[in-house]
Amino acid sequence: MTDPGGVSIVVRTVSRIMIPFIQLFGIYTIAHGETSAGGGFQGGVILGTSIILLSIVFGLKEADRRMPRELLTAFMCVGLLIYSGIGVLDLLSGGRYLEYSSLPLPLPPHEISALSILGVEIGIGITVMAVIILLFFCLAGERDA
Amino acid sequence: MIYPLDLLLLLFLVVCALMAVKLRDLLDSIIVLAGYSLIMALTWVEMNAPDVALTEAAVGAGVTTFLFIAALSKTVRREKR
């Protein structure tokens, strides 16, 4: 029982159920990066893998409709801006680049540091996700010359 | 650290690496490389490096397999003798 694309209904149903959980695990990996194993890079790769699975099972057109290339390019730049923006904020508040404790927030220093690391991890995760998906789209999407 | 387990994993690693080089069918090579990454991730966990293990499992077994298969679909599957 296959559709014209050749992917069976079992594969389609299982990936439709699994993709949200894969993305949830990726976000968990990013959010818990500073206290346990994981971090921005690993979580970003897991998030990107879920979209790659979507594009394998449901086709490149569907994946491109849900995650257009312009959006991915924007994600790439936004993640980089978050990362470097936190570093520049530290510079502006009188510390060194990425010296988190110099931020003038009404919190104890280790909590400022934890919050800033979370922000940096989120930036890394967004950039890595966008780059992984774009790599796959560019490699699989181009027609052979 | 459990030394017999370490030795077993490293033996599997060497076998997988040799098979990936020696196999004539490139799709088989890619699948064996994914297995290599899985065993490598187990070895990292064994050596108390779960962070590296997570990276190895996500990048080595996941993304590079997709990328290799996407690259293989642009070329021929069997190596010439």
Side-chain angles (χ1 to χ4, degrees):
Chain A
M1 191 161 171
T2 56
D3 65 352
V7 179
S8 80
I9 191 169
V10 177
V11 175
R12 270 185 288 144
T13 312
V14 168
S15 38
R16 184 171 295 151
I17 296 170
M18 282 308 290
I19 284 172
F21 288 102
I22 297 174
Q23 288 171 338
L24 191 65
F25 181 62
I27 292 171
Y28 167 82
T29 312
I30 293 178
H32 287 248
E34 84 249 29
T35 52
S36 64
F41 183 76
Q42 291 93 329
V45 169
I46 294 172
L47 280 178
T49 313
S50 70
I51 303 292
I52 293 180
L53 177 65
L54 182 95
S55 71
I56 286 178
V57 175
F58 297 97
L60 271 177
K61 273 215 180 91
E62 171 75 9
D64 201 52
R65 192 176 64 77
R66 301 211 178 203
M67 209 45 125
R69 293 188 187 211
E70 296 79 23
L71 189 65
L72 285 175
T73 316
F75 270 163
M76 242 156 59
C77 306
V78 164
L80 195 62
L81 273 182
I82 291 175
Y83 183 99
S84 53
I86 289 175
V88 170
L89 276 183
D90 294 333
L91 273 184
L92 289 181
S93 52
R96 296 189 196 88
Y97 189 71
L98 291 178
E99 185 183 4
Y100 306 121
S101 49
S102 65
L103 282 179
L105 291 177
L107 287 172
H110 64 275
E111 284 189 20
I112 298 176
S113 179
L115 269 180
S116 309
I117 291 177
L118 181 62
V120 165
E121 300 274 17
I122 289 173
I124 297 172
I126 292 174
T127 304
V128 170
M129 177 195 76
V131 169
I132 294 279
I133 300 171
L134 260 183
L135 264 180
F136 183 76
F137 278 5
C138 292
L139 200 57
E142 68 178 15
R143 298 271 69 90
D144 30 13
Chain B
M1 297 277 285
I2 312 166
Y3 280 108
L5 183 59
D6 274 356
L7 282 180
L8 195 66
L9 285 175
L10 291 176
L11 184 72
F12 274 140
L13 268 185
V14 173
V15 170
C16 278
L18 285 179
M19 273 179 76
V21 176
K22 285 291 176 191
L23 278 174
R24 288 286 165 189
D25 191 334
L26 291 180
L27 188 60
D28 289 355
S29 282
I30 293 171
I31 304 299
V32 169
L33 265 185
Y36 173 91
S37 287
L38 185 67
I39 297 170
M40 196 73 219
L42 283 178
T43 316
W44 289 125
V45 174
E46 241 287 298
M47 296 179 174
N48 288 325
D51 223 347
V52 190
L54 195 55
T55 313
E56 179 78 40
V59 178
V63 175
T64 55
T65 308
F66 290 142
L67 292 181
F68 277 147
I69 289 178
L72 184 63
S73 67
K74 308 274 178 227
T75 173
V76 290
R77 182 170 157 187
R78 298 206 174 262
E79 207 171 297
K80 286 204 181 73
R81 287 191 184 271

